[in-house]
Amino acid sequence: MTTPVISIAYHSGFGHTAVLAEAVRAGAADAGAEVHLIKVDEITDEQWETLDRSDAIVFGSPTYMGTASGAFHVFAEATSKRWFGQDWKDKLAAGFTNSASKSGDKLHTLQFFQTLAAQHGMHWVNLGLLPGWNASTASENDLNRLGFFSGAAAQSNNDQGPEGVHKADIATAEHLGRRVTETARVFARGLATA
């Protein structure tokens, strides 16, 4: 069986989202993927080619003013060259985001990623976890402690640096990386028998 190629296309303004990108990378690598971290505000022609050959692209950005960062929006607009040729059609896609508030309109950022993926004809991989930290017996250390379904969401205090990213949010991002890799394997098996 071939090794899934997973690329994580992300922007990080202050380092918090970079911590999550690394966690997604670690989860995907742990599940046996070939993984590439791509900073979208520094993307090279070679990295565009890496995205083109990837089985899955995981989008990541902080949530600023209710949506993905400006740098991520620039990248998203630049993908229109791939959209014209439907170069990413039938790839897998997933996403993650971070903001200082517990909600912080992170869902809108994840929906922006979903719409971008849909325009490219990609298949969205959700988080696949029940919400954590929603009962008296639950803990803020639960996976998916913020209760998102569309992707991995994290909350980091605005007066702390990247070291302040919550350990449960890091573990949730690792879970997303593993889930994307496992889904890529299922898709590859299906294509092989088609």
Side-chain angles (χ1 to χ4, degrees):
M1 174 174 289
T2 60
T3 300
V5 178
I6 312 295
S7 286
I8 302 160
Y10 75 99
H11 173 250
S12 185
F14 298 97
H16 305 91
T17 309
V19 170
L20 297 175
E22 174 54 34
V24 174
R25 185 211 62 76
D30 184 57
E34 172 190 328
V35 192
H36 302 273
L37 286 173
I38 297 173
K39 295 179 181 180
V40 298
D41 53 334
E42 301 174 3
I43 193 165
T44 65
D45 289 343
E46 181 182 11
Q47 289 172 322
W48 278 111
E49 291 170 9
T50 299
L51 291 174
D52 293 343
R53 71 178 181 86
S54 295
D55 298 301
I57 301 172
V58 183
F59 301 124
S61 169
T63 295
Y64 293 156
M65 304 307 293
T67 188
S69 66
F72 193 92
H73 276 268
V74 169
F75 162 76
E77 188 172 323
T79 69
S80 64
K81 293 175 182 159
R82 271 72 186 165
W83 175 82
F84 280 111
Q86 290 291 275
D87 298 344
W88 293 355
K89 186 174 183 179
D90 292 328
K91 291 183 184 298
L92 299 178
F96 60 95
T97 189
N98 177 78
S99 72
S101 299
K102 296 284 192 286
S103 172
D105 293 321
K106 287 187 272 281
L107 178 60
H108 187 261
T109 300
L110 293 171
Q111 289 172 330
F112 169 74
F113 294 155
Q114 288 176 311
T115 300
L116 175 64
Q119 288 185 343
H120 281 284
M122 302 169 82
H123 302 284
W124 189 258
V125 179
N126 61 45
L127 190 56
L129 287 173
L130 291 172
W133 201 22
N134 65 354
S136 61
T137 57
S139 161
E140 71 173 299
N141 297 308
D142 292 343
L143 282 179
N144 195 21
R145 71 185 182 112
L146 299 178
F148 283 78
F149 295 93
S150 300
Q155 180 270 329
S156 302
N157 295 327
N158 63 15
D159 60 350
Q160 291 182 298
E163 74 284 351
V165 178
H166 200 286
K167 301 298 184 215
D169 297 341
I170 292 170
T172 301
E174 289 172 348
H175 168 85
L176 180 64
R178 286 189 296 275
R179 181 167 168 82
V180 169
T181 300
E182 291 160 3
T183 304
R185 276 206 187 85
V186 169
F187 264 60
R189 279 197 300 269
L191 289 171
T193 60

